[in-house]
Structure formats: C-alpha cells, structure tokens
C-alpha cells in the first residue's frame, strides 16, 4: 500500500502537470551545459569557494576521527599528530565543471573536480611537507515540485566519495618524515570527504541558488519597444537531456506600466529547435513578435508634396491618372499632395519559414495643397518581406520591398475606374515614402540584454514555422578555473 509520502509526491507531480497544461509558454530560454558550467563557475568564484577549501580544518578533522574511526589506533595516531605543528591547504583550484544528464530522467549531474596542495610543518624537518590532493564533488540538479511554492530548480545530494580521492606526496624527504607524511595522508582519506560535504557543499548549493536567481532576474529584464515595453515571467522550469529550459509567459505594458496584453496562452505549442552544441537558444512565439512589431509601428499619417520630394514619381503618377481622366491629370499642380494613412497595426506572420508583415493602407491624392477633397481614395492591402538581423546584442527588423496585394477604390471624384491600373505607380509611391519611414523606426532595434549577460558579444536570428529563435553568434571565452 502506498504511503503518505508517495501520495504527496503524486499530488505534487500532478499539480505541476496541471500548471504546465494551463499556462502555455510564449517563449523558452534553453541553456546548454556550456552556459550552465560558465555561470556556476562564476558563482563559485563569487562565493569564494577556493577560500573555503583553504580553510578546511584538516588537523581537527583527523583528531575527531582518527585512523578511519578505529579507536584502538587512536593512541598511536595522537602520537603521530603530536609531531605536526600545523596542517592546512596551501593552494586550491576548482577545475573544469562537468554537466551531464543524470541516470534519473529530468535531472542533471554536476561534477566539480577539486585540486589542492596541502602541507604540514614538523620539527623533524625545516621545510614544509607538501602533498597533492584531488577529489570530486558531485551534486544533482532537479525540479522541486513541493506544494509550498512554484516549481523551481534546486541542487541537492552534494557529496564526494572515497573512490575519487587521490593523495600523493609531492617531494620525498627523509625516511622518518616520509613515514610521518604517509600516516597523515592515511588519516586524511576518511576525513576529507566529510570535510568537503560539510564545508564546501553548502557553498556549492548557495552558488547554484545564486545562479538560478540571476537567470530568473535576467529573463525579467524589460525590453523597450518604442514607448511600450515587453516583459517575460517564468511559468515553470524543466530539465531535458543536458539542458535547463525556462518556459516563459510574456506581457506588454504601456508607458504608464499598465499591462495592455498578456501572452501566457499561446495558440499552439512552440516548435523547439535542437540545441546541438549551441550554448543557448531563446525561442519567442510569433504572437509576441507580432505585438512587438505593432508597438514599434503604430498607425500614423504621412502627407508628402510629391512633386518636390519625388518629382519623377509625381510625373509618372500624372501620366497614369491621365489614362483614366485627362482633366483630372491636368489639375495636378506643383503642390500636389499624397496622403498615406496606415490603419490599425501591421500583422506579422511566419509562412514556410519566412516572415512577412501585412498592413492596411489608405492613400489619397490631392491635386494641390489648397484642395480640400482628394481626387480619389484607395484602400490598399500591402505586404512586405520581414528580415531579422542582429547588430551586437541588438535585434533589428527590416522590411524588404512592398507589394500591393489588393487595391480597392474607396472614393473617387474623377469617376469610377479600375484601381489596378494604378497598381505599379501606387506600389512605387508607398515603397518610396512608407517603407523608408517604417524602416527608420525599426532601425534602432530591440536590445536583448541576456546575450551579453550570458557571456556573448553578439547574437544571430533564425525562424521556425511559428517562432523567432536567437542564438549566440560566436562562442565566448570560458571563465578560467576557480583558483587561489
């Protein structure tokens, strides 16, 4: 019969599953083992892990547990220790960390190799007797699904084993000193694993907690979108293979900090690209990208003195109108005005791995600056190819070309005509006026601060069938091993 702990565990797993089913992520940050190792190594430095190793109380530990815990030999050991003036770690290094999938699903195994040189002073010799010690601390990263709070990642089961411990005398001295050194090393074999567990493992756990807190803070950094801003929040974490995956919800806020749109429920599951050897990937759904594009390109109105700004296009427009109505064409003077109004906000979508932006445009042609009524009004369904590129840690969108997919005559003061007659010249007008203006607004780009925060100088972008993907453009220089 299942015990109460089994029941609580099943309830916790069920609750986590229900949360994940209810909150569909609109973005995912995938961190590979390279980033995990780099961030945890830096946290170990910040938590002075090597200083902690140098302060290991080797001598007192041996006195508390002499000769591996055999009381009969305690007197002999005490006699040996009387010849030791002091015993301490002289230098300590934490070598390259390893992050691998654990034998249990949805867990990571973290290996932390330790390299130390210890020494003791004895009246038997004037020099310090040094010996080399290597061992390996191991810990498990897993998901904590306890009912006391949201699912989070924790590091637990930190320990080191006797099997990974190696102790070797660096320099042989006299027979008597060598024999004493051998006794000291034998006493350290049962003592050192417990010392590491009691003294270093709390530092490792604190370092992981610091790393995890930094990652959560990193994904919450607001992204400026013109006068609005985009913010992400953690929905739940996961461990898959050798990666940590942070599933995110998003919200759009106005200049006053008021939430204008939530994105916690995506219409479909995000397509997750394979990470391969990529240190990290940020996958953002097209719904979020669409809102970002809309925030950057709000509805606006342009009025252009066409003959002054684009005289060649003004001449071709007059010729094209002349094919419809010569009298109307003759009314076009040097102050003719083209008025362009973008209605609503652009629609961003991904089609077969290519991004496009569609928008509704109202275009009016006035014969002069004094005219109160336009010659005609056209409704235009236009679309552009959208190309993302990066410049450092800035993500930039550029609209390439523009096509008039459908043109409708909304109002005419020169009689009815088929608007497709003007399709070429109208497309050229919006390409020359609207496109540069919109690209100018998009050129400032969107800062993606996590790129540099994760240790990279630049990012590159790609598209899946339903999302924008950011990955590092080049590998960063790894942090050197923790040493002191």
């Amino acid at each position: 019969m299942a015990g109460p702990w089994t029941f609580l565990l099943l309830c916790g797993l069920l609750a986590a599953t229900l949360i994940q089913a209810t909150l569909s992520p609109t973005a995912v940050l995938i961190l590979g083992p390279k980033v995990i190792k780099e961030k945890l190594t830096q946290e170990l430095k910040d938590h002075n892990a090597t200083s902690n190793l140098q302060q290991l109380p080797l001598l007192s530990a041996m006195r508390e547990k002499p000769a591996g815990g055999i009381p009969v030999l305690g007197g002999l050991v005490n006699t040996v220790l009387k010849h030791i003036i002091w015993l301490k770690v002289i230098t300590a290094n934490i070598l390259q960390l390893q992050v691998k999938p654990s034998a249990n699903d949805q867990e990571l195994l973290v290996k932390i190799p330790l390299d130390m040189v210890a020494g003791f002073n004895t009246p038997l010799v004037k020099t310090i007797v040094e010996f080399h010690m290597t061992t390996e601390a191991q810990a498990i990263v897993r998901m904590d699904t306890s009912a006391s709070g949201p699912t989070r990642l924790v590091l637990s089961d930190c320990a080191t084993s006797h099997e990974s411990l190696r102790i070797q005398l660096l320099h042989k001295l006299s027979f008597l000193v060598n024999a004493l050194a051998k006794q000291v090393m034998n006493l350290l074999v049962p003592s050192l694993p417990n010392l590491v567990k009691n003294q270093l493992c709390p530092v490792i756990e604190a370092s992981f907690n610091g790393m995890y807190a930094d990652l959560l803070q990193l994904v919450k950094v607001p992204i400026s979108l013109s006068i609005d801003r985009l913010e992400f929040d953690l929905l739940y974490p996961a461990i898959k293979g050798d990666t940590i995956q942070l599933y995110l919800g998003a919200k759009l806020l106005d200049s006053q900090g008021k939430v204008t749109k939530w994105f916690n429920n995506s219409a479909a599951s995000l397509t997750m690209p394979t990470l391969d050897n990529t240190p990290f990937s940020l996958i953002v759904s097209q719904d979020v990208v669409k809102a970002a594009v809309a925030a950057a390109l709000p509805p606006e109105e342009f009025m252009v003195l066409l003959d002054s700004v684009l005289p060649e296009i003004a001449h071709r427009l007059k010729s094209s109108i002349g094919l419809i109505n010569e009298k109307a064409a003759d009314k076009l003077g040097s102050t003719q005005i083209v008025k362009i109004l973008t209605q609503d906000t652009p629609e961003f979508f991904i089609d077969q791995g290519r991004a496009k932006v569609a928008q509704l445009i109202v275009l009016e042609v006035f014969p002069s600056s004094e005219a109160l009524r336009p010659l005609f009004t056209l409704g235009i369904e236009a679309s552009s190819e959208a190309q993302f590129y990066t410049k450092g840690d800035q993500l930039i969108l550029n609209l390439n070309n523009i096509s008039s997919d459908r043109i409708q005559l909304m109002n005419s003061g020169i009689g009815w005509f088929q608007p497709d007659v003007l399709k070429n010249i109208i497309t050229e007008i919006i390409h020359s006026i609207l496109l540069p203006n919109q690209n100018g607004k998009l050129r400032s780009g969107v800062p993606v601060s996590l790129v540099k925060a994760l240790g990279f100088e630049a990012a590159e972008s790609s598209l899946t069938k339903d999302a924008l993907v950011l990955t590092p453009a080049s590998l960063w220089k790894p942090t050197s091993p923790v040493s002191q």
Side-chain angles (χ1 to χ4, degrees), residues 54 86 88-92 116-120 128-130 484:
Q54 286 188 304
W86 57 258
K88 65 180 181 180
V89 176
I90 300 172
T91 62
M116 295 170 281
V117 172
F120 67 86
I128 297 174
V129 182
E130 295 181 334
Q484 189 162 339

Side-chain angles (χ1 to χ4, degrees), residues 416-482:
W416 183 90
F417 62 93
Q418 178 56 255
D420 284 343
V421 174
L422 300 176
K423 182 174 183 178
N424 290 339
I425 187 62
I426 292 301
T427 301
E428 192 171 356
I429 289 173
I430 59 177
H431 182 276
S432 301
I433 298 175
L434 179 62
L435 211 58
N437 182 278
Q438 292 184 330
N439 280 332
K441 294 183 177 181
L442 297 170
R443 194 169 295 123
S444 59
V446 174
V448 187
S449 59
L450 67 82
V451 175
K452 289 188 176 179
L454 293 177
F456 300 88
E457 290 300 322
E460 58 187 22
S461 63
S462 60
L463 295 171
T464 66
K465 68 176 183 180
D466 56 9
L468 170 69
V469 181
L470 281 179
T471 53
S474 59
L475 295 180
W476 78 120
K477 293 182 179 179
T479 296
S480 59
V482 184

Side-chain angles (χ1 to χ4, degrees), residues 29-71:
L29 176 61
I30 305 177
L31 303 171
K34 293 179 181 179
V35 168
I36 299 170
K37 290 186 293 185
E38 180 75 7
K39 300 298 288 183
L40 185 53
T41 298
Q42 185 59 54
E43 284 290 335
L44 288 170
K45 280 187 174 183
D46 295 343
H47 283 78
N48 300 313
T50 51
S51 295
N52 185 279
L53 287 173
Q54 286 188 304
Q55 295 169 12
L56 290 178
L58 301 180
L59 195 58
S60 61
M62 290 192 301
R63 285 171 176 161
E64 290 173 3
K65 194 174 183 180
I70 304 175

Side-chain angles (χ1 to χ4, degrees), residues 138-155:
Q138 294 188 6
I140 295 295
V141 177
R142 60 178 178 82
M143 290 187 294
D144 182 5
T145 56
S146 62
S148 59
T151 301
R152 67 185 307 272
L153 298 181
V154 295
L155 184 141

